[in-house]
Amino acid sequence: MKATDKKGKEEAEQLEEKRALALTIIEKLKQAYPDAGCTLDYDDAWKLLVSVRLAAQCTDARVNVVVEDLYKKFPDINALAEAQPEEIEEIVRPCGLGKSKARDISACMRMLRDEYHSQVPDDFDALLKLPGVGRKSANLIMGDVFGKPAIVTDTHCIRLTNRMGLVDGIKEPKKVEMALWKIIPPEEGSDFCHRLVEHGRAVCTARTKPYCDRCVLQGICPKIGV
């Protein structure tokens, strides 16, 4: 067997092993977190766009409080599009990075109004063209709003999938996303990422030593006990 053929066979076998591991982890996390979902409050797609931009380097809980005041003053896309960025910044400042977030929200709402008839597009590439929207945000919208295949590579997803052995030492969000697309069933991606957030907050924590003794992935995760 040629070296290239042997390498290709080994890579294919490793991919199958990761797929099998992923399915097992998905089922275990389903049992542990059956109701996991987005922790940002919203009742319209454009509000999730606003909230996910505000959530950068800020807790979802704080965002949920701040947007209440934002929507009291600017209740729809047109109102935010008409607002001066400084007016938005005054309200969203508690979320941090107020100037850049307000600028992005203002520009995003204007683009929705002017180019998309005040409708959030259900196309991934179109979402990426909106100011302040990156792959993580676009995937969140695709999965949670439109029910389409999505993988949201936030910090929990990146940390936990590396620990679990689903990806190998990859830290760049897009590369982690691309690796997971190969092993996670499309219909499971969105909910799987929400469950990783729950698990990352409750058990496989970042700021303390992970609570491996109470992890549902005993005997599955290669880092438990290490």
Side-chain angles (χ1 to χ4, degrees):
M1 181 181 293
K2 294 181 180 179
T4 53
D5 292 339
K6 183 178 179 180
K7 183 179 179 182
K9 183 179 179 181
E10 289 175 351
E11 290 176 349
E13 289 174 349
Q14 290 172 359
L15 202 58
E16 284 305 311
E17 289 175 1
K18 287 183 184 296
R19 285 181 181 138
L21 176 62
L23 289 176
T24 302
I25 290 173
I26 286 169
E27 290 307 311
K28 288 290 186 180
L29 293 181
K30 277 184 181 180
Q31 296 170 20
Y33 311 100
D35 301 318
C38 182
T39 51
L40 291 168
D41 295 337
Y42 69 97
D43 57 13
D44 208 322
W46 69 268
K47 290 183 178 180
L48 183 55
L49 270 178
V50 171
S51 289
V52 74
R53 180 65 187 97
L54 293 176
Q57 298 183 39
C58 181
T59 65
D60 290 359
R62 175 170 290 183
V63 171
N64 289 339
V65 172
V66 169
V67 293
E68 289 184 10
D69 291 332
L70 184 66
Y71 300 147
K72 283 179 184 176
K73 188 168 184 179
F74 307 110
D76 52 38
I77 289 176
N78 187 63
L80 275 171
E82 293 290 336
Q84 294 297 316
E86 293 78 13
E87 295 178 284
I88 299 172
E89 180 187 355
E90 184 178 343
I91 299 172
V92 304
R93 189 175 293 117
C95 293
L97 305 174
K99 189 176 293 295
S100 62
K101 290 179 180 180
R103 183 177 62 244
D104 285 342
I105 289 170
S106 174
C108 182
M109 295 301 112
R110 289 199 305 272
M111 191 168 179
L112 286 179
R113 180 195 63 187
D114 297 341
E115 298 186 27
Y116 294 101
H117 308 290
S118 293
Q119 298 294 317
V120 175
D122 62 353
D123 176 79
F124 188 80
D125 292 330
L127 286 168
L128 288 180
K129 294 178 182 178
L130 296 173
V133 177
R135 297 189 67 86
K136 181 178 76 172
S137 302
N139 269 297
L140 184 64
I141 296 291
M142 292 296 285
D144 278 47
V145 174
F146 299 115
K148 296 187 176 183
I151 291 178
V152 182
T153 49
D154 62 5
T155 56
H156 293 289
C157 176
I158 294 169
R159 185 178 78 256
L160 269 63
T161 54
N162 272 279
R163 284 186 61 86
M164 294 170 177
L166 296 178
V167 297
D168 302 312
I170 308 174
K171 304 298 183 182
E172 185 181 325
K174 184 177 180 180
K175 289 183 178 180
V176 172
E177 180 191 335
M178 295 301 106
L180 292 177
W181 278 120
K182 296 178 182 178
I183 61 173
I184 303 294
E187 68 277 10
E188 299 285 358
S190 182
D191 288 341
F192 173 63
C193 292
H194 285 315
R195 292 186 175 104
L196 289 177
V197 172
E198 294 287 333
H199 193 61
R201 288 172 176 168
V203 178
C204 198
T205 54
R207 295 184 180 180
T208 64
K209 186 177 179 180
Y211 301 101
C212 295
D213 58 318
R214 62 174 191 245
C215 183
V216 297
L217 301 179
Q218 295 279 348
I220 301 169
C221 176
K223 290 294 179 69
I224 289 181
V226 176

